[in-house]
Amino acid sequence: MTTLPTQLSSNSDSNTLLSTTTESAPIDIEVPDNSASPKLVDPNAIILAEALTDTAISWRIHNCKVTEKTVTQDKPLPFLYHYDSLDDTIKQANPLTPELLAHFNTPMTPNAAAKLIGIEEGIIASPWHVKIIGSLVVFSEALQLAVRLHWTNTGKATQQIYTQNQADAISAAFKDWQFFGRVDVLYKNNKQTLVSIDEQPSKTHSQPAEALLTIEPSSDYQQLVANHALAVIIKLEADKVDLPWFDKAILERLE
């Protein structure tokens, strides 16, 4: 793999490969009950999700970037959002009437909501609407493996943050960022098999999803099928607290 300008991860610098069993027999793995037959894994195979969360591997982050960004106070919100943001004392003085409830889901600005309620403009705060999407590549020279991932602060259209300034809104929004969407794999190692394992039974397809996916070596990125991309993301999210190089790279990109 061509060496790229990188941001070093904060984990070990060793080029330790995944530990493997010395037994020569294939390993049985559990697969969904609706799978057609048992699957076997090469005992020396690299399991993608396990490798990505192995802190003994010297992972590096490359090309962490923002691809979409919305940070504004100008978006309207449904009336109920504005009403719920009021202090309880103001709510008690201005209870929800049938007229106000008729505008329950009507999008409007804070000032328009204040006028409808009959209170002074400026009493209702204007939240920051934050939605930032980005991508990054995490790679290991030792494994000759690179994985392109996507991240965001919310799965909703935007996240509403009540703070005084934009920087604080972004900081608050990314206290609980998440991986999502497609996963692309670039694998150039023809000496070890790379596999992905999906341990969850398919609930959305009429045909059973393949529990074991072999990722062939290639000079191009390969997009994982949806169930295997989800399996990788679930594992990353579960172990994210132990993988600080992701958090570091993303927060630095937002500054």
Side-chain angles (χ1 to χ4, degrees), residues 48-247:
L48 181 59
E50 298 293 336
L52 283 172
T53 54
D54 189 336
T55 57
I57 297 175
S58 186
W59 288 109
R60 302 185 180 203
I61 303 294
H62 169 67
N63 200 27
C64 182
K65 62 184 179 181
V66 172
T67 56
E68 295 181 35
K69 184 175 183 179
T70 299
V71 184
T72 180
Q73 288 182 296
D74 295 334
K75 284 184 175 290
L77 282 172
F79 168 75
L80 187 63
Y81 278 75
H82 295 302
Y83 186 85
D84 282 345
S85 72
L86 293 171
D87 290 338
D88 288 341
T89 54
I90 299 177
K91 290 179 182 178
Q92 291 171 4
N94 300 272
L96 285 171
T97 63
E99 180 184 359
L100 293 178
L101 286 171
H103 296 278
F104 185 89
N105 284 318
T106 304
M108 62 183 68
T109 64
N111 286 343
K115 183 177 181 180
L116 184 62
I117 296 169
I119 59 178
E120 294 182 8
E121 291 185 0
I123 290 180
I124 300 178
S126 297
W128 290 94
H129 296 258
V130 182
K131 173 84 171 192
I132 302 177
I133 296 174
S135 65
L136 60 80
V137 173
V138 58
F139 73 97
S140 165
E141 291 282 2
L143 298 183
Q144 298 183 53
L145 169 64
V147 181
R148 184 164 57 217
L149 302 163
H150 297 81
W151 48 267
T152 185
N153 61 298
T154 179
K156 299 178 181 178
T158 62
Q159 182 179 359
Q160 289 78 55
I161 306 290
Y162 288 88
T163 63
Q164 291 295 319
N165 59 66
Q166 177 175 308
D168 288 344
I170 293 174
S171 178
F174 273 84
K175 286 182 178 179
D176 191 26
W177 61 269
Q178 59 201 256
F179 289 113
F180 81 104
R182 64 183 288 167
V183 175
D184 301 295
V185 178
L186 177 61
Y187 188 56
K188 295 186 176 182
N189 183 355
N190 57 14
K191 300 184 185 305
Q192 270 187 292
T193 302
L194 176 66
V195 300
S196 174
I197 298 174
D198 175 20
E199 299 177 350
Q200 302 298 317
S202 174
K203 296 180 180 179
T204 58
H205 304 290
S206 57
Q207 297 296 323
E210 285 295 330
L212 177 64
L213 173 68
T214 299
I215 302 167
E216 301 294 340
S218 173
S219 59
D220 297 316
Y221 276 99
Q222 304 173 66
Q223 181 180 352
L224 291 187
V225 293
N227 62 302
H228 284 276
L230 181 59
V232 168
I233 289 171
I234 289 173
K235 178 63 173 171
L236 283 169
E237 287 292 323
D239 291 13
K240 196 164 61 177
V241 68
D242 298 318
L243 312 172
W245 43 93
F246 288 116
D247 195 64

